[in-house]
Amino acid sequence: MKTTIIQFTPTKNYDKNLEKLVSYIKNSTSKLIIAPEVIVTDFDYSHWNEANEYAEVIKKRVLPLSKDKIIVFTMIEDNKNKAYVFYNQEVVYFREKVKLFGYEKKYFKKGEIEPEIFEIDGIKYAILICFEIRFIDYWVRLKGVDVVLIPAMWGVDRKSHLLTLSNALALSLQSYVVVSDGLAFGSGIVSPWGEEIRSEEEIINVDIDFNYVKKIRKKFLLK
């Protein structure tokens, strides 16, 4: 499955950020597109109400673009950090961030839905939002998943942690792990066998082979 990873650091101008995101989505021929955590508004605590209200603008622009495309990223809405999955012009899944990091706890409400597996067209997906990748109990919950999607705004001084954790997660679950990181630029894809493709370019185009997931699990049984 053709996959596009978008990574850029948002400015304080929501409209420009959204137009950039929309442009990248329109230009992509991939089935799966993932962008970073709060890619349009960033963690704009100084304009908190405006950031929340802008969620409706984002959804109205992105939803029509999701015909035959799975689009994943997070936004601030209802004082929560919500990961949305748009597909065929519908919201097919969403989940709020449960594990809040640092200053987020002052502004965000904790989500109620723990990371879980959901299916689209027979493929098993899961979403871990940034900081959530650090929690091993979530890894256990995701056993059997085909691909884990990680929208993030990861601290630059901890970039090596993100790389290590995403590599280990892919090996542990024998699944693909796809990271979109708009701050440390630790984006990329890791295969079930640990092969990785990383880049600091704003657009990374990769392929996911779900037959390879089956091959690796058959070759190296974790039982």
Side-chain angles (χ1 to χ4, degrees):
M1 181 170 64
K2 293 179 65 177
T3 300
T4 294
I5 302 167
I6 298 170
Q7 63 175 351
F8 64 86
T9 302
T11 68
K12 293 300 181 183
N13 188 316
Y14 299 173
D15 291 340
K16 287 186 177 180
N17 297 334
L18 180 56
E19 289 308 313
K20 187 171 187 177
L21 176 64
V22 165
S23 176
Y24 280 146
I25 292 172
K26 285 182 175 179
N27 289 331
S28 173
T29 59
S30 294
K31 174 68 176 290
L32 174 62
I33 302 170
I34 178 173
E37 182 181 24
V38 294
I39 183 57
V40 175
T41 62
D42 201 354
F43 292 98
D44 192 359
Y45 299 126
S46 298
H47 304 90
W48 187 244
N49 290 337
E50 291 91 332
N52 273 277
E53 292 168 359
Y54 204 78
E56 289 302 316
V57 179
I58 299 170
K59 287 186 286 185
K60 286 179 182 178
R61 288 298 310 279
V62 173
L63 195 62
L65 305 178
S66 64
K67 188 177 187 303
D68 299 322
K69 293 179 179 180
I70 301 169
I71 304 171
V72 181
F73 58 93
T74 87
M75 66 185 79
I76 299 170
E77 185 179 37
D78 300 326
N79 296 321
K80 294 181 179 180
N81 188 343
K82 291 188 179 182
Y84 273 94
V85 181
F86 304 96
Y87 182 44
N88 280 336
Q89 300 174 326
E90 294 182 4
V91 174
V92 296
Y93 182 80
F94 74 88
R95 184 179 74 77
E96 300 101 350
K97 189 175 185 177
V98 174
K99 298 293 187 182
L100 302 176
F101 177 74
Y103 213 61
E104 295 172 11
K105 297 175 183 177
K106 182 177 179 180
Y107 288 89
F108 286 98
K109 295 179 181 178
K110 180 180 177 181
E112 298 177 357
I113 303 172
E114 301 281 351
E116 61 185 358
I117 294 174
F118 61 95
E119 290 194 24
I120 300 176
D121 295 341
I123 302 300
K124 295 179 179 180
Y125 296 87
I127 297 173
L128 293 175
I129 305 172
C130 199
F131 184 54
E132 293 180 334
I133 193 178
R134 289 187 177 272
F135 296 87
I136 304 301
D137 54 325
Y138 288 163
W139 299 23
V140 176
R141 290 174 60 91
L142 302 183
K143 183 178 180 181
V145 73
D146 295 311
V147 55
V148 181
L149 306 172
I150 304 175
M153 279 287 175
W154 200 270
V156 175
D157 61 334
R158 300 180 298 277
K159 180 178 179 178
S160 62
H161 298 191
L162 178 59
L163 303 184
T164 299
L165 287 164
S166 53
N167 286 351
L169 179 60
L171 290 171
S172 176
L173 295 178
Q174 295 182 314
S175 69
Y176 282 95
V177 172
V178 183
V179 180
S180 175
D181 169 26
L183 189 57
F185 280 50
S187 301
I189 185 171
V190 188
S191 81
W193 197 242
E195 300 107 337
E196 60 181 318
I197 298 173
R198 307 273 188 182
S199 173
E200 293 193 356
E201 296 294 324
E202 290 194 346
I203 295 295
I204 308 170
N205 289 309
V206 295
D207 287 300
I208 294 177
D209 181 359
F210 293 109
N211 288 324
Y212 190 51
V213 176
K214 297 176 183 177
K215 178 181 177 181
I216 293 302
R217 290 176 179 172
K218 184 177 181 180
K219 174 181 178 180
F220 201 76
L221 295 176
L222 296 181
K223 290 184 179 180

